[in-house]
Amino acid sequence: PAFGLFIFTIARDPLRIIILIAGAFFWLVSLLLSSLIWFIAVKASDPQDERLQKGLLIFGVMFSVLLQEAFRFLYYKLLRKAIEGLVALSEDGCSPISIQQMAYVAGVGFGLMSGAFSMINLLADALGPGTVGIHGDSQLYFLTSAFMTMVLIFLHTFWGILFFHGCEHRRWWEIAAVVIMHLTVSGLSFCNPLYVGSLVPSYLLMAAAAAWAYLLSGGSVQNLRRFLLCKC
């Protein structure tokens, strides 16, 4: 369902495809930099110290989240400049795409690249060796990983809308809320293999972020009711 966001809302618009690809590139660069720093930290530390290695893993995850949000801010600044250029080049003085639409497409770009890397790691684990759950661990690893990938794609989409709205209206507490939610969801992954402890809170946060993004985008309860009842 998450990858359907691209097919149904972006694929037919060349400008949206460009914005999505650029957003995916920004996420990829943030991952590359955070991975490089974590790799250097691990190589410079004692590999036999399990407590230190776990601490470095937590540091790597938290640092990666902060770097992703920093690159989301840089991407917002870039798109803001792009809108000014599009307005200057247009004949009617209007941009062919609004900042709200850009926020949505940029969020989908971040989410799809995040989901793609999650799937690659999952498929790499599926190649073996070994069998999931052979030592008494949960056999729901692949299923829960798929659900977690889906929730991250949707969350990045909603976070993009919230983050851009906060930047546009200088509501820094909205930006802080996005960063806190992102840190929380990433931190919940350390609850695994207690998958209920990570999936349930993540989906609750996704529902809250979805409702918040919907309202900020101009949605209302009345419009939602009319949509669900298929009324024009």
Side-chain angles (χ1 to χ4, degrees), residues 63-182:
F63 181 77
S64 177
V65 168
L66 296 177
L67 200 59
Q68 287 177 46
E69 298 305 328
F71 269 80
R72 200 193 300 273
F73 178 75
L74 292 176
Y75 192 41
Y76 162 78
K77 300 295 288 186
L78 178 65
L79 290 178
R80 209 67 192 82
K81 292 293 184 181
I83 287 182
E84 296 176 3
L86 291 172
V87 171
L89 293 174
S90 64
E91 296 180 355
D92 57 358
C94 297
S95 173
I97 185 171
S98 66
I99 189 65
Q100 291 86 357
Q101 292 172 330
M102 281 187 171
Y104 166 76
V105 177
V108 174
F110 269 61
L112 288 181
M113 184 55 68
S114 174
F117 265 79
S118 297
M119 289 184 61
I120 291 173
N121 292 332
L122 186 63
L123 293 175
D125 290 338
L127 293 176
T131 302
V132 175
I134 194 172
H135 293 298
D137 296 324
S138 175
Q139 298 183 2
L140 301 177
Y141 169 71
F142 293 113
L143 182 62
T144 53
S145 296
F147 277 104
M148 197 64 189
T149 298
M150 182 177 70
V151 76
L152 280 174
I153 295 174
F154 281 123
L155 277 171
H156 270 293
T157 302
F158 304 140
W159 288 337
I161 297 172
L162 298 175
F163 194 96
F164 277 42
H165 185 272
C167 293
E168 193 71 8
H169 296 85
R170 298 188 179 276
R171 296 181 179 178
W172 307 118
W173 60 272
E174 291 182 351
I175 299 175
V178 170
V179 175
I180 292 172
M181 283 191 288
H182 198 168

Side-chain angles (χ1 to χ4, degrees), residues 27-45 56 59-61 63-65 67-68 71 117:
W27 185 92
L28 192 60
V29 173
S30 71
L31 178 66
L32 176 63
L33 292 177
S34 59
S35 299
L36 180 62
I37 293 175
W38 176 78
F39 178 78
I40 294 174
V42 169
K43 289 299 181 180
S45 61
L56 287 176
F59 162 78
V61 171
F63 181 77
S64 177
V65 168
L67 200 59
Q68 287 177 46
F71 269 80
F117 265 79

